[in-house]
Amino acid sequence: MPPYQTRANASGASDFRLGEIDTNPDADSVLWDLYLKEAGRSDEVMIHGFQDTVNYVLVFAAIFSAVVATFIVHTSQAFQPNQAQITNELLLEQIIPLLRANGNSSEIAKIPFPPTIRVDSRTYTNSDIWINVLGYTSLAISIGTALASGLVMQWLQVYVSPIAGDAKDRVLSHQLRLQSFHEWRLPEVVGLQPLFLHTSLGIFAIAFIVFIYNL
């Protein structure tokens, strides 16, 4: 008969003996080990899914940021002064006075005065402004998403790092990590990263369409 069950005596009354209950100190250890085993399986599936998402975001964000940066370098040239125009105006400023000095009175009236050089004259359009605003916005979102992915990857590495101590201490430490895991809403953060990356891609697509339209 198991020690936790009661037995009937000769008079038919139940006889419960507290001293016969199994008080094996290893019972708790078996329970903690069982918890750690099941928690390890659950963590493996969860962390593997998060790592796949974060790795995808990191690789895509790195390549996409390089593409956007190259695009911005090209489109930002519209805000630079027109060096060819400035050179031509400087040459005219030097040549026209010589022509006026060497000509007679009738020819001088036909020679125009040298143009005024305006280095700060506006050479870009409103479309150029919008293209660069959208490009920089897309780049900022992409880099921010990559930064968040790097932080999440470090958090995941800390979460799966080994825990020292006996089974009970490891269970308590694991529960503390899991609680912090959800308090900081890490699953939601990982789930939002592809959304931010797609938003950045959409903004860049708009900027690229405007750029192609104005060619």
Side-chain angles (χ1 to χ4, degrees):
M1 177 181 297
Y4 55 82
Q5 292 184 356
T6 60
R7 66 180 66 181
N9 54 22
S11 61
S14 62
D15 183 13
F16 182 82
R17 298 183 180 182
L18 183 61
E20 294 183 359
I21 298 179
D22 187 6
T23 57
N24 185 1
D26 294 334
D28 289 343
S29 178
V30 173
L31 181 62
W32 300 133
D33 290 337
L34 179 61
Y35 172 88
L36 291 173
K37 183 178 180 180
E38 295 300 325
R41 293 176 180 175
S42 177
D43 290 344
E44 183 179 0
V45 175
M46 179 181 64
I47 298 301
H48 182 72
F50 287 160
Q51 287 178 341
D52 287 344
T53 301
V54 172
N55 288 331
Y56 156 75
V57 171
L58 281 174
V59 173
F60 188 89
I63 299 175
F64 180 67
S65 297
V67 173
V68 176
T70 304
F71 176 77
I72 291 175
V73 169
H74 178 75
T75 57
S76 61
Q77 294 178 359
F79 298 94
Q80 301 296 327
N82 192 335
Q83 299 296 335
Q85 181 181 358
I86 294 175
T87 302
N88 293 335
E89 292 180 355
L90 288 173
L91 291 175
L92 289 176
E93 187 181 33
Q94 299 296 325
I95 294 174
I96 290 178
L98 295 176
L99 294 176
R100 294 180 65 87
N102 295 329
N104 53 37
S105 59
S106 60
E107 293 177 346
I108 291 177
K110 299 179 181 179
I111 300 176
F113 287 94
T116 302
I117 300 177
R118 299 179 59 186
V119 179
D120 59 344
S121 60
R122 175 173 174 172
T123 59
Y124 54 88
T125 63
N126 291 330
S127 297
D128 295 325
I129 297 176
W130 277 107
I131 290 172
N132 281 269
V133 168
L134 293 173
Y136 278 108
T137 302
S138 176
L139 181 62
I141 296 175
S142 179
I143 294 178
T145 304
L147 176 61
S149 298
L151 295 176
V152 169
M153 183 63 71
Q154 292 180 351
W155 214 107
L156 294 177
Q157 291 176 352
V158 173
Y159 183 83
V160 298
S161 61
I163 303 175
D166 56 15
K168 183 178 180 180
D169 292 337
R170 284 183 289 162
V171 167
L172 295 177
S173 298
H174 176 270
Q175 186 63 27
L176 180 61
R177 291 182 179 183
L178 184 62
Q179 182 178 355
S180 301
F181 192 86
H182 291 286
E183 285 180 353
W184 286 93
R185 299 186 180 277
L186 198 62
E188 289 81 356
V189 173
V190 175
L192 287 175
Q193 287 180 359
L195 178 61
F196 280 111
L197 200 58
H198 296 160
T199 302
S200 177
L201 180 60
I203 294 175
F204 174 74
I206 296 174
F208 188 75
I209 291 173
V210 176
F211 174 76
I212 295 297
Y213 180 79
N214 288 276
L215 287 179

